[in-house]
Amino acid sequence: MNTSLKSRWASGEVTLGAWCMIPEPLTAEALGRAGFDWALVDMQHGCMDYETALEMIRAIDLTPALPVVRVPWNDPGIIGRMLDAGALGIVIPMIQTAEDARRAVDACLYPPKGRRSFGPVRVGQRDGPGYFMEANERIAVIPMIETPEALANVEEIATVPGVDALFVGPFDLSIALGLPPGDNDGKPAFDEAIARVSAAARSAGIATAVLSNAKVAPLRIGQGFQMISTTTDINALAMAARGDLEAVKSTQKKEN
């Protein structure tokens, strides 16, 4: 079994990942083989259904990367299904309160730490009969902080037993702060929000996570984030395609 994200964070490691929006197992496998520590299947804003997400997790399992899923909502049904499919981390959007976070933990962990139902049909094939005994120690529970209410309650959310990292959603958080969607570093409201989430996580002894890109990721590392995405599949594809196209067009212009 691969080392868990939780154990890497506990040892002080920074883990870099890729974001899968395209509903395609081959793309997920390619990202997993590119050297990332984790690959996330985005069921909230990505284009995949459950069956495709399952196949994407299986494809990531062929690589050194760890499979993570962002579920559409804080719902125990889909959380349980993605864990049974093999996810080793669950990112839960729009967490507002400590009670929301407790419900997420309940959905992710087996008793006595949570209320997850037992039935690891697919993940049991991957990890064998020992899965149940190790699942609670391997699965990372990662609530997103992306609203004013979540920010106001972030210290309480961080201390909920079973929460392993706080995930900053910079786009929704920026919108909630009256800023354009994106990374708004240098804007006082955004900088203060980042600092507050980071401080809450440090005080609780858990990690911080964030959606990012290659340009901003070094700043996030300096801020102490330990789970950082550096690319999305759709952006990487579009940028590489544009780069190749422009290179050929540039050559044509020189020849003419």
Side-chain angles (χ1 to χ4, degrees):
M1 295 183 183
N2 292 340
T3 303
S4 71
L5 288 171
K6 295 200 294 186
S7 65
R8 292 183 182 186
W9 298 335
S11 66
E13 286 188 51
V14 174
T15 60
L16 302 177
W19 210 268
C20 300
M21 311 291 287
I22 299 171
E24 175 50 59
L26 183 57
T27 304
E29 182 181 355
L31 288 176
R33 293 191 186 280
F36 293 102
D37 298 304
W38 52 272
L40 181 143
V41 178
D42 189 352
M43 294 193 73
Q44 184 188 23
H45 294 302
C47 301
M48 64 288 298
D49 57 16
Y50 168 77
E51 286 76 13
T52 304
L54 167 62
E55 292 307 315
M56 292 173 74
I57 291 172
R58 294 179 68 193
I60 296 166
D61 283 341
L62 299 173
T63 78
L66 298 175
V68 179
V69 173
R70 178 163 71 169
V71 292
W73 199 250
N74 188 14
D75 177 82
I78 190 60
I79 290 173
R81 292 200 80 190
M82 297 322 301
L83 290 169
D84 288 346
L88 290 174
I90 297 290
V91 175
I92 309 101
M94 293 295 173
I95 295 297
Q96 310 278 15
T97 65
E99 182 56 35
D100 287 345
R102 276 189 283 271
R103 286 197 295 269
V105 171
D106 279 347
C108 288
L109 303 183
Y110 288 124
K113 294 184 177 181
R115 298 181 179 181
R116 178 184 171 190
S117 175
F118 180 78
V121 176
R122 186 270 149 176
V123 73
Q125 299 300 308
R126 184 188 72 189
D127 293 348
Y131 173 78
F132 170 75
M133 299 300 296
E134 299 184 4
N136 283 358
E137 300 307 315
R138 298 177 67 210
I139 292 164
V141 182
I142 311 164
M144 294 192 73
I145 306 299
E146 49 188 344
T147 68
E149 187 174 3
L151 196 59
N153 295 318
V154 69
E155 290 82 11
E156 291 78 15
I157 292 170
T159 57
V160 170
V163 168
D164 299 300
L166 300 178
F167 199 113
V168 174
F171 288 81
D172 278 310
L173 182 59
S174 290
I175 293 170
L177 295 171
L179 300 168
D183 295 301
N184 284 285
D185 299 279
K187 301 289 180 66
F190 186 83
D191 291 345
E192 290 167 10
I194 292 287
R196 183 169 181 178
V197 174
S198 296
R202 280 196 305 273
S203 178
I206 62 175
T208 44
V210 67
L211 174 70
S212 191
N213 55 59
K215 181 179 179 180
V216 181
L219 171 63
R220 299 289 178 246
I221 293 172
Q223 291 170 328
F225 285 82
Q226 290 181 273
M227 180 187 191
I228 305 169
S229 67
T230 65
T231 191
T232 66
D233 52 7
I234 196 162
N235 286 343
L237 175 62
M239 289 175 62
R242 281 196 297 267
D244 288 346
L245 179 59
E246 290 303 316
V248 174
K249 286 184 174 180
S250 176
T251 300
Q252 283 181 312
K253 290 177 181 178
K254 291 177 181 178
E255 291 177 350
N256 293 334

